[in-house]
Amino acid sequence: MPSPQRPDRRFPSWLHWIDKTIAIVAVLNLGLVLFDLSYIPGRDYYLRADLFFQKFNVTNREKYLKNVDRLETLLQEQGLDSPEVPPLLEQLRQQSTRLLGEDLFRVTDSYGSLEEVKTRMSEQFGTDDAIDAFQSLWSVRYLRQNGWQESLRFFNSEIRFLIDFYEPKLFYDPVKGIEPYRDTQQYLRLVSELQAELQLYGMESPEVPILLEELREESRNMIRENYFAQAEKSGTLEEIKNQIRRHIYSRKPEEAPSGPAPIIWVLDFLAPEVFWANKSSTGAFEEFWSLENFREHGWQEELKFFNGKIRFLMQSNYYRHIGVNSDYIDRFWLIDFFFVALFFIDILFRSWLITRRHPNVTLESAVFWRWYDLLLLIPFWRWLRVVPVVIRLDESGLVDIEWLRAQLRLGVVASFAEELTQVVVVQIINQMKSSVESGELTKSLLQPNEQEYIDINDTNEVQEISRRLLQLGVCKVLPKVQPDLEQLIYHVLETSIKSTDFYRRLQGMGLAGWSEQIAKQVSVRVSKLLAEGPDSAYHAIADLPPDPIADELIEQLVENFGEALRVELQTENTLAELQALVSDLLEEIKLNYVKRAIETDPDRIFAETEQLRQLAGRNPNPPNPSR
């Protein structure tokens, strides 16, 4: 991730506000993208949330039904002659018009509850206009002619449950091409109608056996045809089957599982198929939707079980339309298009600004300068937009991600560097070991001309560099420091002669000449200093007693030698020649290293690195052999 780019004060303040605005829009777009990606997997949770908030939302349909209840209470207490009845009926007529004319129902096609309300009202009143039917129903004349008890009984048993029926269509369903599954909705409407019939007339109603038979038939169809397969929710059908099996068969001693209660409870919760897979779910529904079951266990308790355990599972089923590309419909691009267009304009504007600040950069290069912004334009893998969003938030100053960058450096980068270093070290050691064992190293030192080596210019760069440096040192540098070298040699010779016992004896005797013994000792020391290599000469000088004058002369010699060497190296011909030789040498080393690396199995290198790491982990504190 690039380093943060804080607002540039050379730009006007309105550009910084544009950066902040675009960053906020990008965050909003990312939120929509994440919601869109999570909608199908998490639709059941959104549906539960919608059902929860429905409890606190008083809709116009609920207000309508409350007025119907007020009317029924008023008629029971005061009758049709009450002066409060006409105004209440007028209010119901107005609400009925709004109920049918406005989008108060979530599903408005021919399979929804609204269409069923219109059909039943039209059949009851013999008219094609449902609004006229409601106008007739809520009139004093109709209630007086047909009896208000029968009129309200018709409404409560045939219409009320449809108006109050929950249709699981969420606001985002059209974007994904989703609609409630018609067969499961029809199933639930039958259950609601049965419940309304039982609440009004009880088990003696002639409609109850008919509705139970329809529910048994619908249950068989649901299991046989698998209403949940199209939405890829077959697991939900299995959950429904397990619930009805558990409810029916657990009440029968001969069918219920036996054993310790805690174990049975755990297994039933984690793997219910262990107990119920061999039981018939069709038979369980046949028994559940029967008059005998309702009489034996009470229809209130049975419907309470259904509404609590099974109704939501059926409500969660849906049908998703398929497009001409044989894939599920997804209209999110209609929402995303406006954001992508805005991001496209912003990228072009930013690229233009880059070309203004850097004239040598083309517009195409400027676009790829901020390559991560292109992730805002691609119509797939939209979750990758989190990368440019985070960067834009940091650049605009809205969010500081320096702590995140530090964690990445400490974590990912450090770990990668450690792994890479281990592999590189192992490979280098292996190549050195292979060169030693195969004799390539010895051959390169003793027989360099016979070595198989990639040469790019037919020149031995090491030899040429050594020759050139030696030439500089001997021919150019040493003549310039000759006075310093002569002073040092003279001082060393003088000190050496004076330190001999023979010289002191001659000095005590007052002899002014030199003897052969003094000449021999002096020649030995001088020849040792001049004939032996720099290392021996250095140790010869270092072994002498401490001498401030010698130290000062040596320091002066080193300083002048270094200065002269730097001056000679900075000459144009010398510097260019050395640079070319070193460059060629590095290129040859690289080519030969790559040649050997290609011949090396990387898997073996990684395996050996891992083996070494494991060995180091087993023995973090190896014993010290010196102890």
Side-chain angles (χ1 to χ4, degrees), residues 106 113 137 149 172 225 239 330 424 439 460 496 515:
R106 294 187 177 183
S113 297
L137 175 63
Q149 295 90 346
Y172 201 72
E225 299 176 10
E239 177 65 18
D330 190 349
V424 170
N460 190 330
S496 300
S515 65

Side-chain angles (χ1 to χ4, degrees), residues 255-268:
E255 300 285 352
S258 59
I263 297 179
I264 292 177
W265 184 88
V266 171
L267 286 177
D268 191 26

Side-chain angles (χ1 to χ4, degrees), residues 420-462:
L420 183 62
T421 302
Q422 291 176 355
V423 172
V424 170
V425 168
V426 169
Q427 188 166 359
I428 291 175
I429 293 175
N430 283 347
Q431 290 203 8
M432 293 176 62
K433 180 181 176 182
S434 176
S435 298
V436 173
E437 293 177 350
S438 63
E440 291 182 9
L441 181 61
T442 304
K443 186 184 295 184
S444 64
L445 295 176
L446 301 179
Q447 301 174 350
N449 295 330
E450 299 180 5
Q451 183 189 10
E452 183 180 351
Y453 184 79
I454 299 177
D455 197 338
I456 63 175
N457 57 3
D458 296 327
T459 303
N460 190 330
E461 285 79 9
V462 176

Side-chain angles (χ1 to χ4, degrees), residues 181-322:
Y181 200 85
R182 296 168 183 176
D183 292 318
T184 50
Q185 286 298 99
Q186 176 62 23
Y187 192 110
L188 293 175
R189 275 198 293 265
L190 285 173
V191 175
S192 298
E193 186 174 4
L194 174 64
Q195 185 170 358
E197 193 71 21
L198 289 170
Q199 289 172 345
L200 289 174
Y201 306 111
M203 293 290 297
E204 305 306 322
S205 171
E207 295 294 327
V208 171
I210 299 175
L211 292 172
L212 289 174
E213 176 58 33
E214 291 183 16
L215 285 169
R216 289 194 293 269
E217 181 63 26
E218 287 292 335
S219 300
R220 289 191 290 267
N221 293 336
M222 177 179 67
I223 295 172
R224 181 175 60 253
E225 299 176 10
N226 189 359
Y227 294 164
F228 298 80
Q230 201 272 347
E232 299 179 356
K233 292 173 66 69
S234 295
T236 302
L237 178 60
E238 292 302 316
E239 177 65 18
I240 292 174
K241 292 160 67 174
N242 286 332
Q243 290 287 353
I244 196 66
R245 288 165 179 159
R246 182 187 297 110
H247 180 71
I248 295 298
Y249 297 120
S250 63
R251 299 186 300 199
K252 300 177 180 181
E254 68 277 8
E255 300 285 352
S258 59
I263 297 179
I264 292 177
W265 184 88
V266 171
L267 286 177
D268 191 26
F269 179 75
L270 298 177
E273 65 276 1
V274 173
F275 299 125
W276 315 116
N278 61 340
K279 309 294 183 182
S280 172
S281 57
T282 303
F285 272 114
E286 292 279 346
E287 184 173 343
F288 182 80
W289 299 120
S290 65
L291 284 171
E292 294 77 10
N293 179 57
F294 276 31
R295 286 195 177 100
E296 181 179 357
H297 298 96
W299 65 266
Q300 295 90 344
E301 291 299 320
E302 294 300 272
L303 291 180
K304 181 180 179 181
F305 157 77
F306 181 88
N307 292 328
K309 299 292 185 179
I310 297 181
R311 178 177 284 270
F312 176 78
L313 297 175
M314 288 191 174
Q315 288 173 337
S316 67
N317 191 28
Y318 58 83
Y319 178 84
R320 190 172 183 188
H321 293 274
I322 297 177

Side-chain angles (χ1 to χ4, degrees), residues 71 74-75 79-90 140 143:
L71 175 64
L74 184 60
L75 291 175
L80 276 171
D81 296 329
S82 172
E84 298 180 14
V85 170
L88 186 55
L89 289 174
E90 177 62 26
V140 175
L143 294 176

Side-chain angles (χ1 to χ4, degrees), residues 10-23:
R10 291 175 296 176
F11 290 105
S13 59
W14 60 269
L15 279 178
H16 304 319
W17 282 108
I18 289 179
D19 285 345
K20 294 179 183 293
T21 303
I22 296 297

